[in-house]
Amino acid sequence: MQITIFGTGYVGLVTGACLADVGHEVLCMDVDADKIARLEAGEIPIYEPGLEALVSHNVAEERLRFTTDPAAAVAFGTLQFIAVGTPPDEDGSADLQYVLAVARTIGEHMDGYRVIVDKSTVPVGTAGRVREAVRGALATRGSELDFDVCSNPEFLKEGAAIEDFTHGARIIVGTDSPRVEALMRECYAPYNRHHEKLMFMDVKSAELTKYAANAMLATKISFMNEIANLAERLGADVEEVRRGIGSDPRIGYHFIYPGCGYGGSCFPKDVQALARTAGEVAYRAELLEAVESVNHRQKATLFAKLSQAFDGDLSGKTVALWGLAFKPNTDDMREAPSRVLMEALWAAGARVQAYDPEAMAECRRLYGERDDLALVEGREAAVTGADALVICTEWKAFRSVDFAWLRRTLTTPVVVDGRNLYDPQAARQAGLLYYAVGRGASLVD
């Protein structure tokens, strides 16, 4: 098939590369000429394991191409995927300006039947707004060309996006059109061979499914953080509790790891947007509000533990950070707990010495050069001369450490483990003042 994808961000680039890899011809369109030039030169603007090789291979095979020409993009594919950003607006709702701009562009240039596929995460009812935008553009031209709009939400985890696309549990399509169903079956046939993954439903249900999935996962995380905070005050170990409840197949082990809060491009904005959508239909989503509230509070726990360890005075202290990205295997720092911690430390007069395997450039982009931030090459350099260590991201490189070396290297042996990577007893026996999340003897508010 010939397929057009609008947007070369995280979702658009992964989708385009994966569809091209199974033999489709894919044209990715973006208004950012610099980004397109970089892609054509083989430079990938985001970090995602395996993506650079996948893009390079399919560009070399001439199945994946890039353009800034909207007319060429609309002319290319019968399927027109919209995979542009939907950032949170000031009121928490999803900002659809980019989605609707693409819809109008398609209406302005289409010369025959098109299927417009909403791949971006969008609120319930967006397909109808896209349809009206296309119709409006066609009306301006005095044209009545046939088209359809369907929903095809993405379910990609950063750090495992290619695996999720190629071996995902389900492929959801919202449509009531047999013609669209046939085309989408053809599109995804290479990924639907071993068992039936395609699930067809009405458009609004498909749109809601995406938000419901992310909200459910965010709820599990906030629930475990709530239990961790309770365990801390009761003298229990939340890691034992996690193993105990995870063994129940009705609960399972996924997304029940306590820590310093969730971040990224999806969970924070999607929980907020779904709560906003509920308000628009006169329903207060109290559980979603609580999920968001717990997460905001949890991101402040790292600073609170550090502050208590130093009797409330962090001025002049140097704090080492292991991890800046919101999760491993990505360079994404959107809504990352590290950002909340760093900004609080700076406000308290402390200095940050940080290392992350992939997010250093992103941190420089966000904060620039400043006297109270040193981005260093390696975890050893980060702790050298530091008064305390905080672990913000559970990269594999941080999972094992020589406690005796850490005790010798830190000026003050304070370790705040925001991801519960280590055995508290072993760390404390080595002479570390070790504080984790929900592990009994940790400092509490």
Side-chain angles (χ1 to χ4, degrees):
M1 301 181 77
Q2 288 188 319
I3 296 169
T4 294
I5 297 179
F6 282 87
T8 58
Y10 190 84
V11 174
L13 195 55
V14 171
T15 300
C18 288
L19 290 177
D21 200 49
V22 294
H24 296 306
E25 294 180 39
V26 178
L27 181 62
C28 290
M29 155 72 197
D30 203 294
V31 295
D32 187 337
D34 179 63
K35 182 188 287 188
I36 292 298
R38 290 165 61 194
L39 285 165
E40 289 179 330
E43 183 181 344
I44 307 300
I46 57 174
Y47 176 76
E48 176 63 33
L51 183 58
E52 183 174 358
L54 192 67
V55 170
S56 297
H57 171 70
N58 286 284
V59 167
E61 294 293 322
E62 299 183 348
R63 290 191 297 264
L64 179 62
R65 295 188 290 115
F66 303 97
T67 186
T68 57
D69 183 347
V74 176
F76 185 77
T78 299
L79 298 182
Q80 302 268 313
F81 281 78
I82 300 179
V84 295
T86 54
D89 214 336
E90 291 183 4
D91 61 0
S93 61
D95 185 349
L96 295 179
Q97 63 172 310
Y98 306 111
V99 170
L100 297 178
V102 173
R104 287 190 291 270
T105 295
I106 294 171
E108 289 165 1
H109 295 288
M110 59 188 283
D111 57 1
Y113 177 73
R114 296 291 185 273
V115 178
I116 299 157
V117 184
D118 283 339
K119 195 70 173 171
S120 301
T121 300
V122 294
V124 177
T126 298
R129 295 185 63 182
V130 167
R131 189 175 293 108
E132 289 306 309
V134 176
R135 281 177 180 160
L138 287 171
T140 300
R141 295 169 51 192
S143 176
E144 296 183 358
L145 293 171
D146 193 18
F147 70 94
D148 283 300
V149 179
C150 75
S151 174
N152 176 217
E154 54 87 12
F155 297 96
L156 306 178
K157 295 189 300 291
E158 291 191 45
I162 294 172
E163 175 67 18
D164 284 347
F165 194 99
T166 56
H167 298 98
R170 75 290 205 201
I171 301 168
I172 289 177
V173 179
T175 184
D176 56 5
S177 164
R179 186 178 185 182
V180 172
E181 180 174 339
L183 286 167
M184 294 300 283
R185 281 193 179 278
E186 183 181 355
C187 174
Y188 284 111
Y191 294 117
N192 197 45
R193 296 186 65 208
H194 298 298
H195 63 275
E196 182 62 59
K197 294 182 184 180
L198 276 160
M199 299 175 64
F200 290 92
M201 59 185 70
D202 66 274
V203 173
K204 289 185 177 181
S205 295
E207 291 171 333
L208 183 56
T209 297
K210 167 61 178 179
Y211 277 110
N214 278 355
M216 181 70 240
L217 297 175
T219 299
K220 293 181 74 172
I221 295 170
S222 279
F223 174 79
M224 282 308 297
N225 284 333
E226 196 88 290
I227 295 299
N229 294 335
L230 185 58
E232 222 166 77
R233 288 155 175 79
L234 295 174
D237 186 340
V238 74
E239 290 298 314
E240 298 298 334
V241 176
R242 178 183 63 79
R243 285 190 283 271
I245 67 173
S247 63
D248 186 331
R250 296 171 300 175
I251 298 173
Y253 291 103
H254 294 296
F255 286 85
I256 61 167
Y257 286 85
C260 48
Y262 61 77
S265 63
C266 294
F267 288 4
K269 77 176 181 65
D270 290 355
V271 170
Q272 192 176 44
L274 186 55
R276 175 68 181 179
T277 296
E280 291 172 353
V281 292
Y283 180 77
R284 183 180 177 189
E286 295 179 67
L287 180 58
L288 296 180
E289 293 173 2
V291 168
E292 188 176 16
S293 175
V294 168
N295 193 55
H296 281 306
R297 183 177 64 194
Q298 199 68 15
K299 290 181 183 181
T301 60
L302 299 180
F303 179 79
K305 291 176 188 295
L306 266 181
S307 182
Q308 290 187 39
F310 289 97
D311 297 322
D313 184 12
L314 288 164
S315 179
K317 302 296 184 184
T318 296
V319 178
L321 263 64
W322 281 0
L324 294 166
F326 84 94
K327 62 181 285 188
N329 297 320
T330 182
D331 60 354
D332 195 343
M333 288 182 63
R334 283 175 287 186
E335 302 282 348
S338 65
R339 297 183 64 178
V340 175
L341 174 60
M342 285 193 293
E343 290 165 15
L345 287 170
W346 293 330
R351 180 176 177 273
V352 172
Q353 220 163 254
Y355 168 70
D356 186 286
E358 294 296 337
M360 307 282 270
E362 177 64 6
C363 189
R364 287 191 187 93
R365 186 190 70 81
L366 289 168
Y367 294 111
E369 299 294 330
R370 47 188 300 160
D371 294 338
D372 50 10
L373 172 63
L375 297 175
V376 299
E377 295 299 327
R379 65 178 198 170
E380 292 80 8
V383 297
T384 301
D387 296 290
L389 166 65
V390 182
I391 301 163
C392 295
T393 315
E394 61 274 32
W395 284 95
K396 288 181 181 179
F398 306 147
R399 290 184 184 177
S400 180
V401 67
D402 182 340
F403 292 141
W405 165 80
L406 199 55
R407 172 71 179 83
R408 292 192 306 270
T409 307
L410 287 168
T411 303
T412 310
V414 173
V415 176
V416 178
D417 184 354
R419 298 299 178 180
N420 288 357
L421 296 185
Y422 307 137
D423 177 7
Q425 184 175 357
R428 290 172 186 137
Q429 284 177 346
L432 294 173
L433 300 173
Y434 177 79
Y435 308 110
V437 180
R439 308 208 70 180
S442 296
L443 288 172
V444 299
D445 291 338

